[in-house]
Amino acid sequence: MKFLTTSLPGLIEVEAVPHVDARGRFARVFCVDEFKNAGLDFIPVQANISTNKALTLRGLHYQSAPHGEKKLVRAVSGRAFDVAVDLRDGPTFGRWHAVELCAEKMNAIFIPEGFAHGFLTLEPNTTLLYQMSPTFQAGHGAGLRWNDPEIAVAWPASPKIVSHADQSQPFLSEIF
């Protein structure tokens, strides 16, 4: 695996290094030791899967402290524009970074605690797999408005499907 830094400290793109032969491709996509060697303390205890129609937007979601989550998110089919917004105190607060997750590319994004997360699917039947730690704690979920002008995510297309809950999330300035 390759661990690629981003403009936001701790937010890491993880690229698989597939072995390719006549049978197809094989790649290690998670290894506790490799994550540890890359300086990432991450042992997933929960896995979730989300399958969506094209141009579905989900997010921007996070778990409030002290129940913050670390996530490793990858596309297992299709493609998605995946966004993380830094909510940690400091110079990168409110900044976002996006990675196009692609099943064919076999890449993922590691999102540390203290980030809001969302995505826009770019193809029909895009499926994302989330590996997470710690386990989800009901009652501590929170979110930000996906189209908050203060955050100004440059989504690559207009979403066609956004849940009522995601359309009703507060703006960053209303929470922080």
Side-chain angles (χ1 to χ4, degrees), residues 41 43 60 104 111:
D41 178 23
I43 300 174
L60 301 161
E104 193 65 28
I111 304 167

Side-chain angles (χ1 to χ4, degrees), residues 50-61 79-83 118-128 130 146 155-164 166-167:
S50 175
T51 301
N52 302 276
K53 297 177 179 177
L55 298 178
T56 295
L57 188 136
R58 290 184 183 258
L60 301 161
H61 305 142
R79 295 181 308 122
F81 184 79
D82 200 89
V83 175
F119 62 84
L120 176 68
T121 58
L122 302 174
E123 295 180 359
N125 298 313
T126 294
T127 299
L128 297 185
Y130 296 61
W146 66 273
W155 299 100
S158 296
K160 290 188 178 181
I161 302 170
V162 182
S163 73
H164 176 71
D166 286 344
Q167 291 177 34

Side-chain angles (χ1 to χ4, degrees), residues 57-62 71 82-85 87 96 115-119 142-148 151-153 155 165-167 169-170 175:
L57 188 136
R58 290 184 183 258
L60 301 161
H61 305 142
Y62 64 96
K71 302 176 183 177
D82 200 89
V83 175
V85 178
L87 301 180
W96 63 274
F115 279 75
H117 171 251
F119 62 84
L144 299 170
R145 189 79 56 90
W146 66 273
N147 58 353
D148 186 331
I151 300 169
V153 173
W155 299 100
D166 286 344
Q167 291 177 34
Q169 295 288 2
I175 304 172

